């Protein structure tokens, strides 16, 4: 057993100061899988700072109608059911409701969800020695192992793990911005830059610094996000991570010409995957199945499968077509 100390923060600045003073300190918030990883011996912090009682659970409109701010400790269930989210950003509500179970959604927070770590079998179990994410330089056991749930986009020879969150896929499609606080004040991180691709440093999941605390997430005003949808393809209907997921929003003219699109994929990469090639392919085209399939082909052209997960490439293409067709059919 790895011994650790526990304390409860009373304000955000105190929490940041506590983490800054001691290396190997972690924030404890609802929605991370930190405790699970501690039980497995994957995470071994010396100190936990419980932030669950900080006043960071607001869901409110930004001044001037510039979007919505969601506090880092807002519960996933509260966000999913909030009137502003359900009516203006239905893709986010649907993504949240497709994740985990009602009991977990009642405890999980937006900030904690952002910091979930991969569920790759080789990362989660120290009995497997080869995992560059857990033990840099040891190799990637999934490359030649059982890799059915692993990445087909953006991976490297050092890691083919995937990101587990549904919420984060929707946030990437919505151009969300993460607000964080550290010893030197606050800064903003665009959601597209928050998580990292593995490269040669797969142990680094995000661009968040060790002494920074997530305080809020902003959803910018995006009127056409009312026409949006989240599609999750998984092995069973509930409490399962995505094999492939699609968050999609379309801005359409009256004749169904696509003025703009926002699309992100889950279950296919080390981070929520913004489908930039697909979005460019869609612009100015008619919203129909032929257009959607051609755009999906362009996005997945660089995909690479392994022994057990090559099926994900065609599955992702079909999921994209289905999600976009659903959005295009909305009134």
């Amino acid at each position: 057993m790895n011994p650790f100390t526990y304390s409860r923060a009373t304000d955000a600045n105190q929490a940041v100061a506590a983490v800054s003073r001691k290396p190997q300190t972690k924030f404890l918030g609802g929605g991370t899988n930190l405790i699970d990883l501690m039980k497995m011996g994957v995470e071994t912090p010396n100190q936990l700072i419980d932030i669950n009682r900080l006043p960071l659970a607001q869901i409110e409109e930004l001044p001037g109608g510039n979007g919505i701010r969601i506090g880092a400790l807002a519960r996933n269930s509260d966000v999913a059911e909030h009137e502003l989210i359900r009516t203006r950003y239905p893709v986010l509500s649907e993504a949240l409701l497709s994740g985990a179970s009602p009991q977990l959604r009642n405890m999980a927070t937006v900030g904690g969800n952002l910091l979930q770590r991969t569920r790759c079998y080789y990362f989660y179990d120290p009995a497997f020695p080869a995992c560059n994410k857990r033990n840099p330089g040891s190799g990637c056991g999934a490359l030649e192992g059982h890799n059915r749930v692993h990445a087909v986009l953006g991976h490297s020879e050092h890691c083919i793990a995937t990101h587990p969150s549904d919420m984060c896929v929707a946030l990437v499609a919505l151009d969300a911005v993460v607000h964080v606080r550290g010893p030197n004040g606050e800064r903003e991180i665009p959601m597209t830059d928050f998580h990292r691709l593995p490269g040669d440093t797969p142990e680094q999941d995000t661009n968040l610094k060790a002494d920074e605390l997530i305080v809020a997430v902003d959803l910018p005003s995006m009127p056409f996000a009312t026409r949006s949808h989240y599609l999750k393809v998984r092995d069973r209907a509930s409490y399962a991570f995505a094999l492939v997921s699609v968050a999609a929003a379309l801005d359409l003219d009256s004749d169904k010409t696509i003025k703009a699109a926002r699309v992100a994929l889950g279950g296919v990469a080390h981070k929520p995957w913004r489908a930039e090639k697909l979005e460019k392919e869609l612009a100015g085209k008619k919203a129909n199945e032929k257009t959607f399939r051609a755009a999906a082909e362009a996005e997945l052209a660089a995909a690479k499968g392994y022994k057990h997960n090559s099926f994900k490439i065609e599955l992702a293409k079909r999921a994209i077509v289905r999600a976009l067709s659903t959005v295009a059919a909305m009134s």
Side-chain angles (χ1 to χ4, degrees), residues 96-160:
L96 286 164
L97 291 174
S98 74
S101 65
Q103 294 89 342
L104 287 175
R105 291 195 296 269
N106 286 341
M107 296 300 295
T109 63
V110 168
N113 198 317
L114 284 167
L115 295 177
Q116 285 190 81
R117 305 202 71 186
T118 183
R119 267 43 175 209
C120 171
Y121 334 114
Y122 298 93
F123 170 70
Y124 236 75
D125 190 349
F128 295 105
C131 175
N132 287 319
K133 181 176 282 294
R134 175 168 36 81
N135 184 17
S138 63
C140 176
L143 286 171
E144 302 296 332
H146 187 61
N147 44 40
R148 180 174 179 270
V149 301
H150 289 73
V152 295
L153 288 168
H155 45 59
S156 74
E157 62 182 6
H158 301 286
C159 184
I160 59 172

Side-chain angles (χ1 to χ4, degrees), residues 251-269:
D251 188 5
L252 301 177
D253 277 333
S254 56
D255 64 353
K256 294 290 186 177
T257 298
I258 302 168
K259 295 194 291 183
R262 296 290 186 275
V263 181
L265 308 179
V268 297

